Amino acid sequence: MKKIALTFVFSLLALSAFAKSFSLQVVQKNTPGDEVFDSSYVVEQAILDYFFERGMIVSNGAVFVSKNDIAEEKTQIRRSMIEAKVGSMDLFVKLELDYSVLDSANPTAVLLSNIRDAKMEIISLSQNKVLASGKFTPPEANDLNNNRIGVESFAKDIAMEMQAQFAKKGGSI
């Protein structure tokens, strides 16, 4: 039994050694103040969990709030990319969560209706070029999905598209 368990562990280690890795940077846009919304954390965690559960090597930078200062945002993204490269990541994924909370009764709550859309860029750290990009619009919010489960489901849809893009670009992620 020990031999089987050890063989399994070494097989997983060998597979993960050849798998590509990525770092995720979530950027929160169009929100008042400097507070990171719980929805941003939920999206980030759901995506990281999706890949971690599949045995992938993932990391993340701290979610940051964009103040529509292009120079500041570029500096923050550049810093995150350098950290990912130093951490031996292969790819960098920038995910912008664009919020629409002006009419929201509870803008900081984990509500699908507070998210307008998400924009993704997958960047090769070795080539320093964008490999893929996409825009995602959440489904229409209703009584069943305008909650944490709806936000997690939206994040899972993004993760599945990320996985498809990784596969198209030659990665085994």
Side-chain angles (χ1 to χ4, degrees):
M1 185 67 168
K2 268 188 172 177
K3 282 186 178 183
I4 293 172
L6 285 174
T7 303
F8 179 72
V9 169
F10 285 123
S11 297
L12 282 177
L13 289 173
L15 283 174
S16 64
F18 294 105
K20 289 194 181 267
S21 57
F22 76 93
S23 181
L24 175 66
Q25 178 63 64
V26 175
V27 180
Q28 179 177 297
K29 299 191 104 155
N30 295 319
T31 57
D34 294 330
E35 179 183 4
V36 176
F37 288 179
D38 286 342
S39 292
S40 295
Y41 290 125
V42 168
V43 168
E44 176 187 57
Q45 193 60 53
I47 291 171
L48 293 174
D49 288 348
Y50 178 88
F51 288 101
F52 183 76
E53 289 168 0
R54 286 156 180 75
M56 305 303 160
I57 301 166
V58 295
S59 72
N60 62 302
V63 176
F64 76 92
V65 179
S66 173
K67 292 294 174 198
N68 295 322
D69 181 341
I70 295 170
E72 178 186 345
E73 188 172 321
K74 281 184 179 181
T75 299
Q76 181 64 36
I77 294 298
R78 197 172 312 119
R79 185 176 300 129
S80 295
M81 288 177 72
I82 290 168
E83 289 173 4
K85 199 168 191 174
V86 167
S88 300
M89 297 290 123
D90 298 307
L91 302 170
F92 180 82
V93 178
K94 175 184 170 189
L95 183 66
E96 294 180 355
L97 293 176
D98 189 9
Y99 284 84
S100 178
V101 294
L102 293 177
D103 297 331
S104 178
N106 193 351
T108 61
V110 181
L111 299 173
L112 189 62
S113 61
N114 286 341
I115 302 173
R116 178 181 300 145
D117 61 43
K119 295 175 192 88
M120 171 196 68
E121 284 186 338
I122 299 172
I123 301 163
S124 165
L125 290 170
S126 63
Q127 299 171 339
N128 196 28
K129 77 175 200 180
V130 176
L131 299 177
S133 61
K135 183 176 179 180
F136 308 90
T137 304
E140 188 72 32
N142 58 47
D143 291 341
L144 297 175
N145 71 1
N146 198 23
N147 52 35
R148 179 181 210 91
I149 294 169
V151 173
E152 288 173 344
S153 177
F154 177 56
K156 184 178 177 189
D157 291 344
I158 294 170
M160 290 183 343
E161 180 58 26
M162 286 170 59
Q163 185 177 25
Q165 291 299 323
F166 293 153
K168 274 186 191 177
K169 302 303 176 187
S172 60
I173 287 183

